[in-house]
Amino acid sequence: MLKGVLISLFVSVAATAAIAQVGPPTSQRPCSANRQLVMKEGAVVLDTGPNTYARFVKSGAECPVDQFPEPAWVPSSNNPQCFIGYRCRDSGDEF
């Protein structure tokens, strides 16, 4: 029984790692391309700068039950403050 659970856990982690591959930095794409990617995928991890990554979602439906959507802006090739969608935040997070 425990062996089956461990195998399932390993497969889940491996699948998640494959899904979380990151594309080019947001600063190398136009604002509209960044926004369209989030809208198409629903939730995506993007490179937002040197060694910084963040998960963006198109709506609160992609956030876990205990989190809420917060508007998010990223640098893009044509707009330093591109509205890309939302980030999921814990209700206890400080700003």
Side-chain angles (χ1 to χ4, degrees):
M1 175 76 170
L2 182 60
K3 185 176 179 180
V5 171
L6 291 175
I7 290 172
S8 295
L9 179 62
F10 176 77
V11 170
S12 296
V13 170
T16 302
I19 292 170
Q21 293 178 358
V22 178
T26 60
S27 62
Q28 293 181 4
R29 291 187 298 243
C31 184
S32 60
N34 288 320
R35 176 84 174 128
Q36 287 173 354
L37 180 60
V38 173
M39 294 305 291
K40 176 184 168 209
E41 298 296 326
V44 63
V45 175
L46 296 175
D47 179 343
T48 57
N51 302 315
T52 58
Y53 304 90
R55 179 177 181 261
F56 299 97
V57 298
K58 70 177 182 177
S59 72
E62 286 79 22
C63 293
V65 174
D66 60 340
Q67 294 186 341
F68 66 94
E70 175 183 76
W73 291 266
V74 297
S76 68
S77 64
N78 63 340
N79 185 348
Q81 292 288 324
C82 169
F83 174 72
I84 194 168
Y86 302 89
R87 291 182 68 179
C88 298
R89 304 286 282 194
D90 290 329
S91 56
D93 283 353
E94 294 184 26
F95 298 96

